[in-house]
């Protein structure tokens, strides 16, 4: 676990790198890019709640240990701050998109101990963005997805008046039918877990990096569905290269994966519902009905 040390981004950067900070500039939220005396820049992020920094650090290390997809190096973590590499921004291009698709297929094939397993040294009570997210191992994907990724958020939404009883019943039906809707059973994959376009980082080195994970063992179609949710650039090239690589690895995507996209988008849409309400509740309900159709 981390240790309690608040201060500010510069102090956190110095503490975890051992190098004097010479400047900083703000990023989103409580994050900052801190310049170090040795010429490097690091990103210093403040956690959104208990164990958030520890969970993210564990996820970055787990996703990056194989070197399949570029992942920022973790320089240090405590209960308040996470210090990682700063990766300068670049522009999307086809070569990077296809390389990313192939690399993501390889990362997913690395597998995970169980559906719902946390990364090594990662807490069970983790985070996805500003929402809590529980990682609890299950023997099969439908039971994990039901208990940890659908039901908790539907309950929160009902309590806040975002879903009526009859609307909540649609999600209950999805969960009841999930073994049938899920398609051919697959082994658990090593997931980024929050692979929306904002966490797909097109870098100046010509590669695609993954940042800000909510990593866990899950179904690979969940990552792919999240890539589709908010307009990842050059997505057709990413997915085309992914399909080819998965075929070459001997684990092709199973029949019906395109039709299951709404099912796998339920989780991020429900998270957005409890965080932001409004239109996301309608989108989540539409996705649930599409999954049943």
């Amino acid at each position: 676990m981390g240790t309690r040390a608040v201060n500010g981004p510069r102090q956190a950067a110095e503490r975890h790198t051992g190098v004097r900070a010479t400047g900083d500039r703000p990023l989103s939220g409580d994050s900052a890019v801190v310049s170090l005396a040795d010429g490097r820049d690091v990103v210093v992020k403040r956690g959104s709640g208990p164990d958030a920094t520890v969970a993210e650090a564990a996820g970055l290390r787990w996703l990056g240990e194989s070197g399949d997809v570029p992942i920022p190096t973790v320089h240090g973590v405590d209960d308040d701050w996470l210090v990682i590499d700063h990766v300068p921004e670049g522009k999307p291009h086809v070569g990077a998109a296809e390389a990313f698709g192939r690399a993501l297929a390889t990362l997913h094939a690395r597998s995970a101990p169980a559906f719902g397993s946390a990364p090594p040294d990662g807490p069970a009570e983790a985070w996805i963005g500003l929402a809590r997210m529980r990682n609890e191992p299950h023997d099969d994907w439908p039971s994990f997805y039901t208990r940890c990724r659908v039901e908790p958020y539907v309950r929160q939404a009902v309590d806040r008046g975002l879903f009526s009883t009859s609307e909540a019943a649609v999600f209950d039906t999805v969960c009841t039918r999930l073994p049938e809707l899920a398609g051919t059973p697959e082994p658990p994959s090593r997931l980024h877990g929050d692979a929306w376009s904002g966490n797909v980082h097109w870098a100046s080195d010509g590669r695609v990096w993954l940042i800000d994970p909510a990593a866990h063992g899950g179904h690979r179609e969940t990552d792919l569905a999240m890539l589709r949710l908010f307009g990842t650039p050059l997505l057709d090239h990413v997915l085309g290269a992914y399909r080819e690589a998965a075929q070459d690895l001997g684990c092709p995507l199973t029949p019906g994966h395109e039709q299951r996209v709404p099912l796998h988008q339920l989780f991020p849409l429900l998270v957005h519902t409890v965080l932001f309400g409004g239109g996301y509740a309608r989108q989540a309900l539409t996705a649930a009905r599409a999954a049943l159709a």
Side-chain angles (χ1 to χ4, degrees), residues 11-183:
Q11 291 82 1
E14 292 177 340
R15 187 166 57 249
H16 289 299
T17 65
V19 181
R20 180 173 59 89
T22 59
D24 64 82
R25 62 183 187 274
L27 290 174
S28 59
D30 290 329
S31 300
V33 176
V34 176
S35 298
L36 303 176
D38 61 7
R40 290 180 296 155
D41 287 343
V42 292
V43 170
V44 183
K45 300 179 61 178
R46 188 163 192 169
S48 53
D51 285 338
T53 53
V54 175
E56 183 169 344
L60 289 167
R61 289 168 175 147
W62 189 49
L63 296 173
E65 68 181 12
S66 60
D68 300 313
V69 178
I71 304 289
T73 298
V74 175
H75 294 290
V77 62
D78 55 50
D79 287 343
D80 295 287
W81 299 100
L82 171 67
V83 181
I84 61 176
D85 281 337
H86 174 248
V87 182
E89 189 174 355
K91 295 182 179 180
H93 62 91
V94 170
E98 293 177 345
F100 170 57
R102 291 189 293 271
L104 185 62
T106 304
L107 177 64
H108 286 166
R110 299 285 177 190
S111 74
F115 293 104
S117 61
D121 300 321
E125 295 295 340
W127 293 79
I128 177 167
L130 298 175
R132 295 308 301 256
M133 179 187 83
R134 181 163 180 80
N135 290 321
E136 181 179 327
H138 288 72
D139 291 335
D140 62 273
W141 182 75
S143 62
F144 157 67
Y145 199 64
T146 294
R147 296 168 188 166
C148 296
R149 296 297 185 263
V150 177
E151 289 180 344
Y153 303 96
V154 172
R155 285 197 298 269
Q156 291 180 54
V158 170
D159 290 344
R160 298 175 192 182
L162 297 168
F163 292 134
S164 67
T165 302
S166 61
E167 288 170 337
V170 177
F171 297 96
D172 292 340
T173 302
V174 171
C175 292
T176 299
R177 291 183 54 193
L178 205 51
E180 161 204 345
L181 299 174

Side-chain angles (χ1 to χ4, degrees), residues 92-93 97 100 197-198 200 202 227 230-238:
H93 62 91
F100 170 57
S197 59
V200 177
W202 303 82
L227 288 173
F230 298 119
T232 300
L234 300 173
L235 184 58
D236 287 347
H237 292 277
V238 174

